[in-house]
Amino acid sequence: ITAKTDLTDVANADIIVGSAASMVELSHLRIVKDVASTQLSAQGEIEIDSDSIEAGLMTIVIKGNASYFTNPSLNNRGVSLELEDVMTIHIMEGDGAAADGSGSEGKQAAVKALLAQAPDDNIGAIDGLDVDGYALNGAFFFTVDRSAQRAHLEPSARLLQVCPFNPSRPSDTGRMVLETCVTRRDVRYRDFP
């Protein structure tokens, strides 16, 4: 028997942008609701346009579905929600795309194209599930550790070509190289990277 559960069946998530010291301040913050999906399908663009340092602070609130965790017929004792991996892509807008596509609009279009690619089916030869992992889209894939019963989120090589972990250093020619896209690993294996 093979079972696969979509994240939206067991939990949902909200993203809170900014910080607040009181409920009144919290009511003024931008809260994006119901963002959980293992399909990573387009939910519409969320643009955060602010010069405030607090706009760079995002809090992910993961809420378990009570009907899943309290249903005795599902035998879910000992099951918990744990944030295994989180990666974010930061695209800084510049003055548009350069002729070679290296500007922010070129990078944004490249990232969108990677995210729009169809996922792998994850069906393999052993027990009906792929034991090595599978692509979620062109930007991210899962590696699967069956012995630990975990899957880990990883960036694709194509994503890291467009949005590397570390920005490029300026060249020796004196011409400033402005990196307009950076991938960041915020959580890795339930801990800081």
Side-chain angles (χ1 to χ4, degrees):
I1 296 174
T2 300
K4 182 179 176 186
T5 302
D6 193 278
L7 177 61
T8 56
D9 295 336
V10 297
N12 209 323
D14 297 342
I15 296 176
I16 301 171
V17 181
S19 66
S22 68
M23 291 303 290
V24 172
E25 288 180 10
L26 181 64
S27 69
H28 296 293
L29 295 180
R30 182 166 189 188
I31 300 175
V32 184
K33 295 193 171 278
D34 302 332
V35 296
S37 173
T38 56
Q39 298 301 316
L40 298 179
S41 58
Q43 308 255 337
E45 289 184 30
I46 301 168
E47 189 170 316
I48 302 168
D49 188 13
S50 175
D51 293 332
S52 166
I53 189 94
E54 288 191 359
L57 174 66
M58 292 188 294
T59 303
I60 299 174
V61 180
I62 300 173
K63 305 170 289 185
N65 183 336
S67 64
Y68 179 82
F69 288 98
T70 59
N71 186 339
S73 67
L74 293 177
N75 194 20
N76 289 327
R77 281 191 201 144
V79 175
S80 63
L81 290 174
E82 298 193 38
L83 191 60
E84 193 75 35
D85 299 285
V86 173
M87 281 190 230
T88 53
I89 302 170
H90 302 264
I91 301 172
M92 285 64 75
E93 291 185 358
D95 56 1
D100 64 358
S102 63
S104 63
E105 291 174 11
K107 291 188 182 282
Q108 185 174 16
V111 169
K112 284 182 178 182
L114 290 171
L115 290 170
Q117 290 178 7
D120 286 347
D121 188 1
N122 95 319
I123 299 298
I126 301 174
D127 294 330
L129 292 175
D130 189 337
V131 295
D132 297 325
Y134 56 95
L136 294 168
N137 52 40
F140 297 101
F141 65 94
F142 275 136
T143 58
V144 178
D145 182 348
R146 291 280 171 214
S147 62
Q149 297 182 359
R150 288 185 174 175
H152 298 288
L153 183 67
E154 298 293 338
S156 71
R158 290 178 295 171
L159 174 64
L160 293 178
Q161 285 175 341
V162 176
C163 300
F165 279 125
N166 297 309
S168 303
R169 292 184 179 265
S171 66
D172 291 339
T173 63
R175 182 174 173 250
M176 183 63 117
V177 177
L178 297 176
E179 191 66 42
T180 59
C181 188
V182 175
T183 299
R184 190 173 80 186
R185 188 184 301 270
D186 301 289
V187 177
R188 182 172 190 164
Y189 304 173
R190 303 179 188 178
D191 203 354
F192 296 106

